[in-house]
């Protein structure tokens, strides 16, 4: 029987790092599980620390926060107060009779390269703080399956994690402020950035007085990006979308068109721009496999993403399960750190580890973090309203545009399943036409499929459309051999 | 809105009944509280099996359904990916093989095609089978369909024949004239009808309760594992262990697992089957999925390194005597049932629909419905509820 930790923190990005460090500081026994080889998550992704160069962290924001968390993590690991398991993914969480959680882990990399035995392992904990983060949200567009088309975050990850430029002449497209660091990062690394193609107006969030005032630092960040864009002479095309990605066998150009400001209907003349890299991002999709597996209640957020419902102590609707960071609503690193910290402090109080003498101090910390989170949420909501996915985006599709690339399901297939076969919701659509049934299990096409199901049935997208495409019975694929091991060591189930 | 027939439930059985009743000229309305095939119909493998059935009324219905699938519905087979892939039943031990041979003697007498497969011929049928098996039997009639497509297309064809389908419409009660059922009350209004058919699958007991009659349908949970796509024809047939037949017929509430492995058109391998009576619990059971994986590996050792992409679960509509409930309910004239097909509903739906349509039209059905009578359960069965 393995030791039971007070808390298992899943994810070592901004939220998870803060949660783990704060939990251990409060005296809890912590296991920190992360898919990556080194901490930081997507936001603070950096080159292999064993071969670091001074300029690896250029362009990183909030680096002081990261450095401080990182130092505390190292100290707590050294003191045996945090068990840190990098390179592992949680693929199943089950609950025992006593309410404790059993987490099944599988190594991220193959056993041949990471030196471990490659077998899955299990850890048990009394409580969970889930900080699974998110990834780029994608909308299908004709030609998006050509080599040379990437997620904006993917292009950035290659730069930050591997010092690799994914192309020489890039177009960065979609919507949202995240396009700017991707474009300036590529430009600074030596790529030509032919254009940033932004579907919405620019700097709309600066016009939202309440939202913007909530987090003043963000305004400065925006001005820095604007200056960088100017220095690298990156054209910024507003109210414009990629209509089609062109090329024989790989990306050669994009065709862009102006769209109606109100709903995103194609409105203007088209134009071709040569490119060998297209980086696409339409906001972010939170990773909800683990909270959904545990039965946590979810809702549709301002940006249209499915997110976990939490209370003002980061508690989900499932007892003992706290959730922090993007999974509770996309809002960026600073907000995620505050949520991670609050969940840890709240858990320590719930487990009565906060000493009586410091009760007042703890109350003050909770009050301060709640305020920070409230302001962060307000700012995030303002951003989401300024950079929505255009309502009419499905009108950009043609019958042959692939929506699900794994199973090669086209928009036309989805139209037929709705019109002829009576699919009225995303789950039925998935079962009839197979979008989201392939390798990625709907991670890429899930949002688009849910929106298409709703749009073809002439109604708004709901959480019920998003849920079946976000739920995964196994959080990551595992071999049948690993599954078979459950038969022996799972008492009752 | 009035109808000759209201079908409660848009699963595969309801869809087949609506289709055949519409073809027979009845004005049909299908009411479904959720979405098309939202219950057990979308939670199985889509099997049309004769191999797993012992001599008796269920085998008769399975053989009759085979005919309906291949003849009456034959012209539409491509719509729902009908594949006559055949089933291979394998025995691990000589004793297991002996009982398999005995089962097949009885099955042949009833009209099932069975070919004995010797130990050294097994791998001609399935190259990746474990070498240690004692022998098997091949059932060429076993077939597979994509059940969601069956439901959607049967309902589309029924609509073209005049039927109406109301999803997100829940039955809340029955219209009565004395004992007689004269329609349904729904969340979308009352629908007077000449007859009402309860095709609510695992939830049919609750619908029967609304009519104050007892039909003992209980949920029997099953898990299926889905692997990553493999090259076509890696596993060619539906392959299962001889112990499966015994597990299907068992009434034990505890977990039973018998390996059932088959390829699909999409390249994924489906691995069943588990049975346990745990109510409508939807949490993933580590024990059940682990045992499924272990037993599948015992049949096909190459599966050990193959990855599972997902697992799904469903609730078979199970009656204490393992037979479906098909026909008019003498306790509430006007009320009919077509439910309780347990794990065989996809295969048995075609025959069930045809028989119900014949009986509703006042014709003598092709099969005697007496073994499936709704009032056959002793009152003591109440204790099971």
């Amino acid at each position: 029987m393995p030791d039971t930790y007070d808390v298992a923190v899943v994810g070592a990005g901004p939220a998870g790092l803060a949660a783990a460090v704060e939990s251990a500081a409060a005296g809890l026994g912590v296991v920190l599980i992360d898919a990556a080889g080194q901490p930081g998550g997507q936001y603070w992704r950096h080159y292999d620390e064993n071969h670091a160069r001074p300029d690896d962290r250029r362009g990183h924001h909030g680096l002081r926060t990261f450095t401080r968390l990182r130092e505390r993590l190292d100290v707590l690991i050294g003191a045996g107060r945090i068990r840190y398991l990098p390179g592992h993914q949680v693929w199943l969480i089950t609950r025992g009779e006593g309410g404790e959680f059993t987490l099944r882990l599988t190594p991220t990399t193959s056993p041949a390269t990471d030196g471990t035995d490659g077998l899955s392992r299990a850890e048990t904990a009394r409580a969970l703080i889930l900080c699974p983060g998110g990834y780029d949200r994608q909308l299908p567009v004709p030609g998006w399956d050509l080599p040379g088309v990437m997620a904006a975050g993917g292009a950035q990850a290659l730069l930050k994690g591997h010092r690799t430029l994914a192309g020489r002449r890039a177009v960065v497209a979609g919507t949202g402020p995240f396009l700017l660091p991707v474009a300036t990062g590529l430009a600074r690394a030596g790529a030509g950035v032919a254009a940033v193609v932004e579907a919405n107006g620019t700097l709309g969030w600066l016009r939202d007085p309440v939202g913007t005032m909530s987090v003043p630092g963000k305004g400065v960040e925006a001005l820095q990006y604007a200056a960088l864009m100017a220095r690298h002479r990156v054209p910024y095309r507003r109210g414009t979308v990629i209509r089609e990605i062109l090329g024989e066998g790989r990306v050669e150009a994009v065709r862009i068109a102006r769209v109606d400001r109100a709903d995103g209907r194609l409105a203007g003349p088209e134009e071709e721009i040569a490119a060998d890299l297209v980086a696409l991002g339409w906001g972010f999709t939170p990773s909800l496999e683990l909270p959904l597996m545990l039965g946590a209640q979810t809702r549709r957020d301002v940006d249209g993403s499915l997110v976990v419902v939490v209370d003002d102590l980061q508690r989900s609707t499932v007892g003992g399960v706290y959730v922090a960071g993007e999974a509770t609503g996309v809002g960026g690193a600073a907000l995620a750190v505050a949520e991670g910290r609050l969940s840890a402090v709240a858990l320590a109080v719930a487990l009565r580890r906060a000493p009586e003498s410091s009760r007042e101090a703890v109350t003050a910390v909770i009050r301060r973090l709640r305020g920070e989170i409230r302001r962060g949420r307000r700012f995030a909501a303002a951003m989401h309203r300024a950079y929505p996915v255009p309502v009419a985006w499905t009108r950009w599709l043609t019958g042959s545009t692939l929506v699900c690339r794994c199973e090669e399901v086209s928009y036309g297939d989805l139209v037929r399943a709705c019109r002829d076969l009576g699919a009225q919701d995303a789950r039925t659509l998935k079962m009839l036409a197979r979008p989201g049934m392939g390798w990625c299990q709907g991670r890429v096409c899930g949002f688009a499929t849910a929106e298409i199901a709703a749009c073809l049935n002439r109604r708004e997208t709901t959480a019920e459309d998003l849920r079946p495409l976000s739920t995964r019975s196994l959080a990551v694929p595992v071999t049948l051999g690993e599954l078979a091991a459950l038969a022996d060591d799972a008492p009752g189930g | 809105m009035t109808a000759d027939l209201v079908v409660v439930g848009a699963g595969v059985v309801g869809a087949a009944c609506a289709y055949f009743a519409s073809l027979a000229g009845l004005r049909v309305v299908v009411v479904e509280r959720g979405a098309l095939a939202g219950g057990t119909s979308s939670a199985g493998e889509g099997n049309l099996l004769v191999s797993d059935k012992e001599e008796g009324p269920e085998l008769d219905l399975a053989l009759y359904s085979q005919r309906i699938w291949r003849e009456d519905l034959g012209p539409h087979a491509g719509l729902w990916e009908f594949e006559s892939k055949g089933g291979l039943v394998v025995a691990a031990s000589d004793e297991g093989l002996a009982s398999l041979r005995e089962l097949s003697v009885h099955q042949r007498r009833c009209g099932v095609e069975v070919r004995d497969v010797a130990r050294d011929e097994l791998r001609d049928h399935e190259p990746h089978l474990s070498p240690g098996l004692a022998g098997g039997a091949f059932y060429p009639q076993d077939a597979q369909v994509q059940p969601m497509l069956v439901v959607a297309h049967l309902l589309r064809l029924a609509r073209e024949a005049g039927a109406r389908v109301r999803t997100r419409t829940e039955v809340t009660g029955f219209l009565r004239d004395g004992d007689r059922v004269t329609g349904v009350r729904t969340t979308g209004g009352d629908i007077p009808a000449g007859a009402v058919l309860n095709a609510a699958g695992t939830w049919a007991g609750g619908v029967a309760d609304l009519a104050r009659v007892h039909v003992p349908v209980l949920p029997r949970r099953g898990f299926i594992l889905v692997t990553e796509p493999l090259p076509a024809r890696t596993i060619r047939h539906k392959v299962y262990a001889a112990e499966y037949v015994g597990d299907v017929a068992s009434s034990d509430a505890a977990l039973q697992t018998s390996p059932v492995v088959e390829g699909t058109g999409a390249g994924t391998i489906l691995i069943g089957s588990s049975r346990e009576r745990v109510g409508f619990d939807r949490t993933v059971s580590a024990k059940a999925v682990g045992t499924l994986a272990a037993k599948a590996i015992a049949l096909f050792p190459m599966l050990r390194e193959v990855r599972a992409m997902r697992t799904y679960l469903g609730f078979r509509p199970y009656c204490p005597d393992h037979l479906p409930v098909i026909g008019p309910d003498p306790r509430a004239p006007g009320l009919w049932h077509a439910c309780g097909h347990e794990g065989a509903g996809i295969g048995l739906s075609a025959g069930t629909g045809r028989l119900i349509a014949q009986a509703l039209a006042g014709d003598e059905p092709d099969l005697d419905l007496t073994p499936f009578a709704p009032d056959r359960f002793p009152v003591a069965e109440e204790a099971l509820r």
Side-chain angles (χ1 to χ4, degrees):
Chain A
M1 192 66 192
D3 293 338
T4 298
Y5 293 93
D6 290 318
V7 59
V9 177
V10 182
L17 270 180
V21 163
E22 217 60 56
S23 298
L28 303 185
V30 180
V31 59
L32 172 63
I33 303 156
D34 190 43
Q38 49 193 26
Q42 302 299 335
Y43 189 75
W44 290 319
R45 181 189 287 276
H46 49 285
Y47 197 76
D48 184 346
E49 288 167 1
N50 298 324
H51 308 277
R53 282 198 309 234
D55 63 347
D56 277 340
R57 296 181 179 187
R58 213 165 54 160
H60 269 291
H61 281 272
L63 203 57
R64 227 177 35 201
T65 310
F66 175 65
T67 310
R68 222 166 22 218
L69 283 171
R70 185 59 207 277
E71 282 166 7
R72 290 178 70 192
L73 177 70
D74 289 341
V75 169
L76 289 161
I77 292 171
R81 291 164 65 184
I82 293 179
R83 176 93 191 285
Y84 171 51
L85 296 174
H88 281 84
Q89 278 176 297
V90 179
W91 57 274
L92 185 69
I93 303 180
T94 52
R95 217 157 181 187
E97 307 262 310
E100 79 284 4
F101 299 93
T102 300
L103 298 86
R104 312 273 166 182
L105 317 184
T106 186
T108 315
T109 49
S110 67
T113 57
D114 76 351
T116 67
D117 57 8
L119 293 177
S120 58
R121 56 194 293 167
E123 301 292 345
T124 58
R126 287 182 192 91
L128 300 176
I129 301 179
L130 303 177
C131 311
Y135 54 91
D136 297 73
R137 186 158 69 181
Q138 295 298 331
L139 297 180
V141 59
W144 73 312
D145 49 328
L146 282 170
V149 181
M150 301 186 73
Q156 195 192 43
L158 280 176
L159 264 187
K160 290 208 276 192
H162 303 274
R163 302 180 189 137
T164 300
L165 258 183
R168 304 307 310 171
R169 188 176 157 84
V171 171
V172 181
T175 193
F178 178 60
L179 301 182
L180 302 181
V182 173
T184 53
L186 288 169
R188 200 149 44 179
V193 180
V196 171
V197 179
E198 162 63 61
N200 289 289
T202 183
L203 302 182
W205 49 297
L206 287 179
R207 290 195 307 259
D208 179 333
V210 182
T212 312
M213 294 292 282
S214 315
V215 185
K218 291 286 180 186
V220 178
E221 233 175 81
L223 294 175
Q224 287 168 349
Y225 286 130
L228 273 170
M229 295 271 287
R231 190 190 314 154
H232 291 286
R233 295 195 167 76
V234 176
Y236 190 55
R237 313 289 293 257
R238 296 154 216 178
T240 303
V241 299
I242 291 185
R243 175 85 184 77
E244 187 176 4
I245 301 168
L246 308 163
E248 287 292 330
R250 66 157 295 116
V251 172
E252 289 164 12
V254 296
R255 212 163 75 229
I256 62 170
R258 293 198 53 82
V259 289
D260 182 277
R261 277 289 167 84
D263 66 0
R265 228 173 273 230
L266 293 170
E270 300 188 350
E271 181 189 333
E272 260 184 50
I273 302 177
D276 64 356
L277 168 66
V278 179
L280 299 172
W282 292 94
F284 297 90
T285 296
S287 299
L288 296 195
E289 289 84 359
L290 299 178
L292 284 169
M293 182 183 288
L294 291 161
Q297 205 178 314
T298 49
R299 64 181 172 87
R300 187 166 177 262
D301 202 9
V302 184
D303 63 345
S305 283
L306 194 71
V307 300
V308 180
V309 174
V310 290
D311 66 7
D312 60 2
L313 291 173
Q314 302 302 128
R315 291 180 298 198
S316 75
T317 52
V318 179
V321 179
Y322 294 69
V323 184
E326 309 299 66
T328 69
V330 172
L335 177 59
V337 167
E339 291 189 358
R341 291 190 66 195
L342 178 59
S343 59
V345 174
L347 175 62
V349 171
L351 295 178
R352 299 181 197 288
R353 297 298 172 80
E356 285 297 322
S357 56
S358 66
R359 181 57 62 83
E360 266 176 44
V362 168
T363 310
V365 168
I366 289 178
R367 195 181 316 118
R368 190 170 49 73
L369 287 170
R370 275 181 181 163
E372 211 175 302
I373 290 166
R374 237 183 348 259
R375 285 189 298 276
R377 284 271 156 245
R378 215 149 48 207
F379 177 76
M383 297 276 261
H384 294 326
R385 284 192 198 97
Y387 296 101
V389 167
V391 180
W393 75 267
T394 57
R395 289 166 183 261
W396 314 336
L397 303 174
T398 67
S400 61
T401 308
L402 285 186
V403 175
C404 168
R405 303 189 293 190
C406 300
E407 291 288 317
E408 302 189 343
V409 181
S410 71
Y411 180 61
D413 295 332
L414 299 185
V415 170
R416 279 185 291 278
C418 287
R419 300 262 158 87
D420 303 343
L421 297 180
Q424 294 173 325
D425 56 77
R427 180 184 183 270
T428 311
L429 187 58
K430 173 179 165 182
M431 304 294 283
L432 285 172
R434 299 190 62 79
M437 288 284 219
W439 257 117
C440 88
Q441 291 287 293
R443 284 176 178 84
V444 177
C445 71
F447 175 80
T449 299
E451 292 251 314
I452 289 169
C455 179
L456 289 174
N457 283 287
R458 294 188 183 77
R459 57 177 179 78
E460 293 251 325
T461 311
T462 64
E464 284 67 40
D465 290 306
L466 294 161
R467 219 170 273 126
L469 285 139
S470 309
T471 305
R472 280 152 211 124
S473 43
L474 304 174
V476 289
V478 286
T479 64
L480 290 173
E482 286 178 280
L483 268 174
L486 294 179
D488 307 324
D489 64 5
Chain B
M1 177 165 41
T2 63
D4 296 325
L5 173 68
V6 167
V7 176
V8 183
V12 71
V13 172
C17 292
Y19 169 77
F20 282 109
S22 299
L23 286 197
L26 272 58
R27 291 173 306 140
V28 176
V29 176
V30 179
V31 292
E32 161 61 53
R33 69 172 172 182
L36 306 184
T40 314
S41 297
S42 55
E45 298 124 311
N47 285 321
L48 278 42
L49 298 189
V50 294
S51 56
D52 65 335
K53 293 177 181 62
E54 301 170 35
E55 192 174 358
E58 200 197 358
L59 181 55
D60 297 340
L61 182 57
L63 285 164
Y64 177 70
S65 294
Q66 278 275 330
R67 210 177 85 202
I68 306 300
W69 281 112
R70 289 169 193 274
E71 294 172 14
D72 298 55
L73 297 175
H76 305 301
L79 294 176
W80 39 71
E81 300 172 5
F82 178 93
E83 190 194 352
S84 194
K85 64 186 346 186
L88 182 68
V89 184
V90 298
S93 65
D94 290 335
E95 302 83 72
L97 187 60
S99 33
L100 179 60
R101 293 276 181 266
E102 195 187 323
L103 172 71
S104 64
V105 168
H106 296 290
Q107 290 173 321
R108 272 195 200 98
R109 206 162 48 209
C110 302
V112 176
E113 290 174 46
V114 196
R115 290 177 213 147
D116 292 349
V117 179
R119 179 194 301 264
D120 55 1
E121 295 168 340
L122 279 173
R123 296 228 254 179
D124 300 336
H125 286 77
E126 290 292 345
H128 298 288
L129 265 180
S130 164
L133 299 160
F138 183 66
Y139 293 80
Q141 289 160 308
D142 283 356
Q144 191 172 29
V145 292
Q146 208 280 51
M148 286 293 297
L149 290 175
V150 171
V151 174
H153 280 287
L154 282 179
L155 287 176
R156 176 182 63 79
L157 293 164
R159 281 200 306 270
E160 286 169 16
R164 284 162 291 174
V165 181
R166 300 268 177 279
T167 53
R168 292 173 211 295
T169 305
E170 183 164 1
V171 170
T172 55
F174 284 86
L175 305 175
R176 304 298 283 257
D177 179 4
D179 276 348
R180 192 165 183 81
V181 165
T182 58
V184 288
R185 294 188 182 283
T186 77
T187 49
D190 293 354
I191 310 175
V196 177
L197 176 72
N198 175 13
T202 313
W203 298 269
V207 173
D209 284 346
L210 293 174
R212 295 189 299 276
V213 295
H214 176 49
V215 177
V217 182
L218 297 166
R220 201 179 186 194
R221 187 171 75 176
F223 285 96
I224 292 174
L225 285 170
V226 187
T227 71
E228 62 187 294
L230 297 183
R233 288 180 54 77
T234 300
I235 292 174
R236 302 170 181 180
H237 310 97
K238 178 192 175 72
V239 181
Y240 63 90
E243 68 198 89
Y244 174 76
V245 181
D247 278 359
V248 170
S250 154
S251 295
D252 197 343
L255 173 68
Q256 297 138 39
T257 52
S258 39
V260 179
V261 182
E262 62 195 302
T264 66
T268 54
I269 306 293
L270 302 183
I271 297 168
S273 69
S274 66
R275 304 183 139 66
E276 55 193 321
R277 294 223 315 268
V278 291
F280 287 103
D281 182 358
R282 298 198 70 89
T283 49
V284 172
S285 156
K287 180 113 193 151
V289 297
T291 311
L292 283 182
K295 292 195 173 181
I297 292 169
L299 274 189
F300 291 98
M302 49 82 69
L303 289 176
R304 179 175 293 279
E305 298 306 319
V306 171
R307 274 171 292 189
M309 291 197 302
R310 67 173 172 273
T311 168
Y312 59 95
L313 64 87
F315 301 98
R316 305 175 183 89
Y318 150 88
C319 288
D321 60 2
H322 301 281
L323 286 178
V325 178
I326 305 170
D329 194 325
R331 299 165 296 182
L335 177 64
W336 295 60
H337 302 278
C339 56
H341 293 72
E342 203 169 334
I346 309 299
L348 301 182
S349 64
T352 301
R354 187 89 166 79
L355 294 169
I356 283 282
Q358 288 167 346
L360 277 167
D363 298 332
E364 181 73 18
D366 291 338
L367 270 191
D368 177 18
L369 294 180
T370 313
F372 311 118
D375 59 343
R376 69 180 188 271
F377 303 97
V379 179
E381 299 288 355
E382 291 289 337
L384 274 172
R385 300 178 68 196

